[in-house]
Each structure stands twice: as C-alpha cells, then as structure tokens.
Amino acid sequence: MRDVSIVGLGQTPVGEHWDTSLRELGFRALESALKDAKAERVEALYVGNMLSGHLTGQEHIAALIADFAGLRGIEAIKIEAACASGAAALRVGYAMVAGGLADLVAVVGVEKMTDQAPETVTAAMSMGVDADYEAMQGLTHMGVGAMLMRRYMHEHGFKREDFANFAITAHANAAGNPNAMYRSPISARLFNEAKPIADPISMFDSAPAADGAACVILAPTEIAREFSDKPVRIRASAVATDTVAADDRRDPLYLEAAAISAQKAFAAAGLGPDDIDLLETHDAFTILSALSLEACGFAPRGGGVRLAQNGEIGLRGRIPITTMGGLKARGNPVGAAGLYQIVEVAQQMRGDAGVNQVANARLGMAQNIGGTGGTVVTTILERL
Amino acid sequence: MEVARYWRTTRQRYQLVGEVCPNCSGKIFPPRDVCPTCEKEAKTPFAFSGVGEVYSYSTVYQAAAGYEKATPYTVAMIRLAEGPLVSAQLTDIDDKDVAIGMPVEMVTRVLREDGDRGMLVYGYKFRPVMV
Ligand SMILES: [Zn+2]
C-alpha cells in the first residue's frame, strides 16, 4: 500500500446559496482545491452526498459535476453513507491512491438543502435513521438524538445546561472562520433559554441545515511536494458500522461504530488518544460530541460532558474540538460535513487556521457520524 | 406509503410480532432472521406482550412531512418486558408527566396520513398502563 497525502484544499462558504446550484457548489470547491494543488486535472472524482435525489431531484451527480468542471471522461462516482457521506467518499479516494489505482484524485463533499421547506428537510434528514421502525413511528433524526441526550442526562446526572460549552465553543471558533455560517458568539444564558425543537435538544444543541461544498486533492506522499509545499499525510482511515436504528444497539449510549473505527485508526497509526492534538467531532447534536469523545477514549463514559464543562475542548484546552466552528456553527451541509471536517483538520496541520490555529498541532483527527451512529468514519491526519 | 410496503410489515406493526432465537432464546424485534446476539438463524415468530417501560423520550416540535398535523407529539424508546428496545410514539398521556421508567402498554393507532387522499398508516403506539 502507498502512503497518501492531501495536496489541495477547497471549500465554499457554508450558508444559504440561493443563487448557486448543486453542481456549481461542487465545482467551486473542486476548482479552488485544484488551484491550491496547482493541478489542472485529476484521474478520478469521488463525491460524498446524502440528499441530492430527495432535495434536488438529481442523482448521478458525480458525472454531472465532472462534466460541469470540464473533466468529461474521468472516473466519477457518488458515495452515500447518510451524514457520513463526506468522509466515506474520502475513504474511497484514499483507497484508490493507496492501492495504486490512481495517482491524483479529487474528493468533493456537497449538499444543497436550503431550497426546500423545513418539513421536507426534516423528512430527508430522517432517511439516515431506520425508515420502517424509526421514521415510520414519527421519529426524526433529531428526535432520536434527543432521546439519547435525555437518557445520557438520566444515567450520568447531567442537566441540559451542562451541554452549553459544546455550543459556546463551536460558536466562538466559528467567529474566526470566514467560511462559517454563524460567526457570532453565544452566551450560556442564550443556550439555557432556547426553546426545545425535540426536547431536550434546542436550536443551540443542533447543527443547522445549509448549502456548501468542500474538496481535497489526494496524491501519493512520495510525489506530494510536486503539488503542495505543505502536504498533509493521511495517517489512518477507518470505517465501521452499527445498527441503523439506535434502539437495536446493545447500549444506545455507546457508539460502537465510533469506538471500532477509532480503535482501527489508532492501531493502524500506532497512536492513542493522548497523541492527538485536536479532534473534529460530528456535533450534529451536542450529545454526539460527548458520545464521540467517550467512544474514542478521550473521556470515560459520562466524562464527555465533563470535558466541555471544564473548558478542556477549547483551542487551548487539553483536546480542542470543533476548531473551526463544527457542524453547529460552521453549518451542516450534511453530505459535505465530513469533508469540511477534513479540510479544517488539514488547515490546522498546515498551520493555516488563522486565529483558530491550535499551537504546535501535528496530529489531528476527524470523526464523521452517519445517522445516529450507523456508519462512523475516523480519519487521522499528520503534518509532514 | 406504498400499499405493498404497508402489508409487508403489518404483523410487526399491528401485533408486535418479532422472533425468538432457537439457539440462545433471545427475543428479537424487529424481525431480522439472524439473531443479533449469537448470529445464528432465527426465524421462529414470537408475539411480544406489548408491555414495557420508558427508556427515554422526547417531545418533537419539528416534524417530518406526513406528521405535521400531530405536532407536537412525544416519542419514546420502550424497553419491552421481554428485553428488546422499540421506538414508538406515546399516546393518551394527556397532561401526565412522562418519565423514564414509566410503565406503558401497546395500543394500535394511526401513525401517519399521506395527504388528504393518501392512505392512513396504522401501527403501534404506547400509553401509560392504567392503574
Ligand atoms: Zn441467538
């Protein structure tokens, strides 16, 4: 297997792009990543996307974006794994380069959500939970997240207010990210007084639907410096699955796919949680950050919220998370979220994170969660 | 909802019929033909009693298309007496305070309406056990 590095980064601002189509969004991220890599063509394009069929009435978007980008003829495939589609696409691109099937590959994550009415978006997001046994009962993606949060509070003795620092940290970090959707800080009071959407989850526990696209260009590490002065090595990449329905799990508060994929990534890299300088958690809901921190071994069971309460997740904390705003405040273009995480960790590894730079960051990790934990992708990046 | 899909899952939705594993005796819901505990074939039907207790719950204010009319409504994960967790709406709760550990029982209710001319989908919900 060949060593693989990221040699180009691109992203669009996250938000409501009423004037920009799905294909244009994907193209813009691809175009800026190619420019960053000083490359004109790639051999293959993998597109992470969850909802183009339901929200835009368009499947087959990898070929569509390849054509729109003037790359007609190249290999191009869409990859779907609910909210983990972005990092799942990276996994495929990584395998192609690592396995020697391609030398220069683009991976785009793209989602277009704001054209549709809220109930349509809620129904679409809920396609990542079990349609016959969860969504049919009126459960939404957020409703399942809310039940996990309530049970967590019950088992570990927390109040809703105890989760505030996850959202406060995300918003504080988004203020320094020019591509983030919500760039204003929030207070504990604002968090505490927010009305529930699926109680105990309020708008400040949950990430906003948005439009956006992010892209990375991959190359074998041995030729990476032909494209970039600051290549970022993919030190490990792992995917694991669990039941799609949260109620089918042995313990719904233990994200087994998060634990398995983290263990696989740590084992492949010969690393452990203590070696990691920052972690992009999949904070679609605040509870998912807590469960992710625990499943990866950064905190014991029930200790994820404690880390946030103690301020250990900030940019100068013991384990900085959501360093560019996370899904919560950067925004959650769902099938692109995993690629935004990768672009942001790569920015940190290159020392290009501006005022949000984590000092001396050498190893960064991202965990992209599909549905409520049915698919989890863990990626570890390293500064070269 | 498509008519064929509706009929495929009526036994589960009307009568809470799952499976029992002939190997480890584990009770399985929803039915999946392979025991999630011991991974052996498990195709023996098993009707659950429909009683259990609330494992967790949430009141949903932002519903998906097809469920807007009932908003807000309360969903729960129910720990069935026989072991498995099942997700469903709570009904007949009036002003009662829902709590983790609350005893509940299964009833059949309308789950969703597919527009004014679409089909009514019936299935299980759970209500507090009458005392
Ligand atoms: Zn068994």
Side-chain angles (χ1 to χ4, degrees):
Chain A
M1 235 176 52
R2 301 194 295 182
D3 210 81
V4 181
S5 287
I6 295 172
V7 298
L9 305 178
Q11 61 180 314
T12 72
V14 178
E16 299 185 14
H17 291 281
W18 288 335
D19 56 345
T20 311
S21 68
L22 180 73
R23 72 185 81 179
E24 282 177 284
L25 280 172
F27 167 62
R28 284 188 194 174
L30 173 60
E31 184 185 38
S32 57
L34 282 170
K35 198 170 159 207
D36 186 45
K38 300 186 276 297
E40 286 185 357
R41 272 189 88 80
V42 286
E43 289 160 60
L45 166 69
Y46 299 97
V47 178
N49 171 270
M50 175 180 175
L51 298 170
S52 69
H54 197 70
L55 297 182
T56 309
Q58 177 75 63
E59 290 293 3
H60 212 174
I61 64 168
L64 192 78
I65 292 169
D67 173 27
F68 196 73
L71 298 171
R72 205 177 295 182
I74 68 163
E75 169 171 339
I77 304 172
K78 163 172 163 169
I79 284 106
E80 188 277 322
C83 329
S85 301
L90 177 77
R91 170 77 175 159
V92 175
Y94 168 79
M96 290 294 293
V97 178
L101 292 177
D103 279 339
L104 203 59
V105 164
V107 184
V108 168
V110 61
E111 204 73 73
K112 177 85 189 151
M113 305 177 79
T114 66
D115 283 357
Q116 297 289 347
E119 64 272 18
T120 307
V121 174
T122 299
M125 285 298 290
S126 301
M127 289 178 172
V129 304
D130 191 316
D132 282 347
Y133 296 101
E134 292 186 312
M136 178 56 62
Q137 300 296 330
L139 275 69
T140 56
H141 181 233
M142 191 186 297
V144 180
M147 290 194 285
L148 297 182
M149 183 171 170
R150 164 118 46 213
R151 183 71 196 187
Y152 185 97
M153 289 158 54
H154 173 81
E155 287 193 13
H156 299 299
F158 287 112
K159 299 189 298 293
R160 198 184 83 75
E161 292 75 14
D162 298 328
F163 290 74
N165 252 1
F166 285 117
I168 291 169
T169 302
H171 276 268
N173 293 346
N177 177 3
N179 290 303
M181 185 169 181
Y182 293 123
R183 301 191 59 198
S184 45
I186 64 161
S187 65
R189 206 182 117 218
L190 203 60
F191 180 91
N192 296 343
E193 289 176 358
K195 285 202 187 71
I197 314 174
D199 75 321
I201 286 179
S202 79
M203 65 178 281
F204 289 115
D205 292 286
S206 82
D211 308 334
C215 177
V216 295
I217 309 293
L218 305 179
T221 300
E222 59 185 14
I223 59 164
R225 287 192 193 274
E226 292 175 23
F227 301 98
S228 174
D229 300 333
K230 292 183 276 188
V232 176
R233 182 183 178 204
I234 299 182
R235 182 76 183 262
S237 151
V239 184
T241 56
D242 197 351
T243 67
V244 167
D247 59 20
D248 280 337
R249 297 179 194 150
R250 276 180 277 269
D251 177 354
L253 294 185
Y254 184 64
L255 296 181
E256 215 165 284
I260 295 169
S261 68
Q263 284 157 11
K264 280 163 83 175
F266 284 142
L271 298 169
D274 290 344
D275 300 310
I276 301 299
D277 298 311
L278 60 99
L279 170 70
E280 289 304 320
T281 56
H282 190 94
D283 59 332
F285 312 118
T286 49
I287 180 66
L288 288 184
S289 281
L291 296 180
S292 195
L293 284 162
E294 294 170 20
C296 295
F298 292 97
R301 297 288 301 273
V305 169
R306 200 81 67 201
L307 276 182
Q309 283 179 304
N310 296 343
E312 295 181 286
I313 59 169
L315 292 174
R316 276 165 291 282
R318 185 158 73 78
I319 179 67
I321 69 169
T322 58
T323 67
M324 300 301 277
L327 279 62
K328 172 70 201 80
R330 173 240 297 127
N332 182 20
V334 56
L339 248 293
Y340 273 97
Q341 291 179 314
I342 296 298
V343 167
E344 290 160 357
V345 175
Q347 287 179 308
Q348 290 283 4
M349 295 303 105
R350 298 202 318 191
D352 288 347
V355 294
N356 289 6
Q357 185 62 47
V358 173
N360 305 314
R362 197 178 69 81
L363 287 161
M365 178 160 147
Q367 191 157 64
N368 189 196
I369 300 178
T372 56
T375 300
V376 181
V377 187
T378 302
T379 312
I380 299 175
L381 302 185
E382 180 182 21
R383 189 180 71 206
L384 276 177
Chain B
M1 189 187 198
E2 306 74 19
V3 175
R5 186 176 182 179
Y6 183 85
W7 285 108
R8 272 203 300 276
T9 49
T10 43
R11 292 232 302 161
Q12 310 62 313
R13 265 187 298 105
Y14 286 6
Q15 292 147 355
L16 218 58
V17 173
E19 288 159 338
V20 55
C21 173
N23 185 50
C24 75
S25 305
K27 311 298 188 295
I28 305 161
F29 191 89
R32 61 189 59 209
D33 294 356
V34 176
C35 174
T37 306
C38 68
E39 297 176 5
K40 296 278 191 328
E41 189 176 276
K43 291 184 174 176
T44 315
F46 177 85
F48 284 84
S49 63
V51 298
E53 61 175 51
V54 172
Y55 170 86
S56 193
Y57 63 97
S58 171
T59 301
V60 174
Y61 297 88
Q62 196 177 82
Y67 299 85
E68 306 99 315
K69 281 187 187 168
T71 312
Y73 54 88
T74 300
V75 295
M77 290 163 93
I78 311 294
R79 176 69 72 191
L80 296 172
E82 296 87 349
L85 275 175
V86 59
S87 298
Q89 286 183 41
L90 296 181
T91 187
D92 305 348
I93 45 178
D94 304 319
D95 299 333
K96 286 187 208 70
D97 280 337
V98 178
I100 289 176
M102 185 174 85
V104 290
E105 61 190 7
M106 187 203 122
V107 290
T108 301
R109 294 283 190 276
V110 173
L111 294 184
R112 62 172 285 159
E113 295 176 40
D114 290 344
D116 291 337
R117 287 158 184 244
M119 70 191 297
L120 291 175
V121 178
Y122 286 87
Y124 51 79
K125 293 188 182 181
F126 285 77
R127 70 179 177 198
V129 172
M130 306 295 170
V131 281

